[in-house]
Amino acid sequence: MGRLPNVRKGSWTQEEDILLKKCIEKYGEGKWRHVPARAGLNRCRKSCRLRWLNYLRPNIKRGEFAVDEVDLIIRLHKLLGNRWSLIAGRIPGRTANDIKNYWNCHLSKKMSAELMRVTTQDTIKYPTSINTFTPNSDYLSGSMLGSEMYRSPQEEEIRYCSSLTENKPRQDQEEEDDGGSFWNSMLYEVADNSEKSFSTAGPSEAIHHKNDLFLEFEGWLSNMELWNIVLENE
DNA sequence: AAGCGTGTCAACCGCGGGTCA
DNA sequence: ATGACCCGCGGTTGACACGCT
């Protein structure tokens, strides 16, 4: 299937916005393949969808990000990485594109500078890396932490985390909850990666790897409050 | 005033995953 | 099982605004 010829590109006009808005109001969101024809627009379905989601949809917040929004973005990004749609889902009125743009323009540089500052300070025990940490099932079930490699004074907290994941929706409960499948897939993905690293690395490397992961885990524990936000409505 | 560099943001592109025949 | 199609996502681009020299 080739590209649609003579499809209009570039900025949207007010007239196009009105047509699209009327179309969505009449037929509802979704079925984007029908939208250009229904609306009488010479645009591709992707362009229509993007315009609606990022600009025309009701309740979209515009203008400066509030301090608490920025704080939440930073913390969610630390936790989730560049999963903009997921981050946007936790910040009412903001689109994934807005947040991505804001991050790229304002925050990424700020965070890099902060990382540089922090990593050059000897007094900081662990660098507060901007790398994201996502828990895997081994961590949370305690199977890794319970090994002979190390024991942590935070075992109680780990058990608490374990109980959190155990309460996550199971496969058979996910029909009404998209978030459940996300978390499960993420857990499996990270667990997979950990398994691969352990199997390919030598013993000493494996120990370092585990220690690194533990440091990250400590960082994650400090974000329990944030996890509660993320887990809301899951 | 003009040219240039930088910042901002809307929009496009390509890809991965899901669905359905 | 497979391929076509569709949706949604993240990365990137390009146009415009703005400030500085």
Side-chain angles (χ1 to χ4, degrees):
Chain A
M1 200 173 101
R3 285 186 192 172
L4 294 171
N6 303 321
V7 172
R8 209 178 114 75
K9 288 183 182 181
S11 298
W12 280 64
T13 65
Q14 209 169 353
E15 289 75 24
E16 286 178 314
D17 282 346
I18 292 166
L19 287 172
L20 180 58
K21 215 169 179 177
K22 279 183 179 170
C23 176
I24 304 291
E25 279 165 5
K26 188 173 178 185
Y27 297 100
E29 265 188 76
K31 309 278 183 192
W32 294 107
R33 65 183 179 281
H34 300 308
V35 168
R38 281 173 175 171
L41 286 164
N42 187 25
R43 293 271 185 177
C44 71
R45 57 187 171 82
K46 282 187 174 186
S47 184
C48 293
R49 178 181 164 272
L50 211 63
R51 184 64 179 173
W52 173 256
L53 291 179
N54 289 336
Y55 197 83
L56 297 175
R57 205 170 43 155
N59 304 324
I60 287 184
K61 226 188 266 181
R62 312 213 75 84
E64 283 289 298
F65 279 72
V67 175
D68 56 338
E69 285 179 317
V70 174
D71 180 57
L72 195 53
I73 290 169
I74 291 169
R75 296 166 72 192
L76 284 168
H77 185 270
K78 187 175 168 67
L79 198 67
L80 302 168
N82 294 358
R83 289 173 156 95
W84 305 116
S85 61
L86 208 63
I87 295 172
R90 307 290 160 182
I91 303 176
R94 299 296 186 182
T95 70
N97 211 35
D98 278 346
I99 292 169
K100 180 172 59 179
N101 282 332
Y102 189 79
W103 179 269
N104 288 335
C105 290
H106 299 84
L107 298 178
S108 63
K109 287 170 198 163
K110 203 185 279 185
M111 294 305 282
S112 300
E114 178 66 10
L115 180 63
M116 284 294 289
R117 188 184 66 79
V118 167
T119 51
T120 52
Q121 278 181 2
D122 293 333
T123 51
I124 304 289
K125 194 177 175 186
Y126 304 127
T128 55
S129 164
I130 61 168
N131 292 336
T132 57
F133 173 69
T134 44
N136 65 50
S137 49
D138 281 347
Y139 271 141
L140 301 173
S141 68
S143 63
M144 278 168 60
L145 294 162
S147 73
E148 70 285 359
M149 288 296 182
Y150 52 74
R151 298 276 181 194
S152 164
Q154 284 142 323
E155 259 182 307
E156 285 308 309
E157 286 174 284
I158 291 158
R159 288 208 178 88
Y160 171 63
C161 298
S162 176
S163 71
L164 275 180
T165 52
E166 278 161 15
N167 289 335
K168 290 224 172 71
R170 301 255 179 269
Q171 289 281 340
D172 56 355
Q173 295 172 326
E174 282 170 15
E175 282 182 7
E176 294 171 19
D177 185 4
D178 289 335
S181 59
F182 162 73
W183 287 110
N184 278 325
S185 66
M186 187 173 76
L187 291 174
Y188 285 124
E189 186 185 319
V190 179
D192 268 0
N193 290 338
S194 298
E195 204 175 326
K196 279 173 200 158
S197 310
F198 280 106
S199 61
T200 55
S204 61
E205 282 175 77
I207 291 167
H208 283 132
H209 181 66
K210 278 197 173 184
N211 287 340
D212 289 345
L213 289 174
F214 180 67
L215 294 185
E216 288 188 81
F217 183 67
E218 284 196 323
W220 178 74
L221 284 175
S222 70
N223 273 323
M224 284 307 297
E225 182 197 340
L226 189 58
W227 270 96
N228 287 333
I229 295 169
V230 173
L231 290 169
E232 251 172 41
N233 306 318
E234 292 293 341

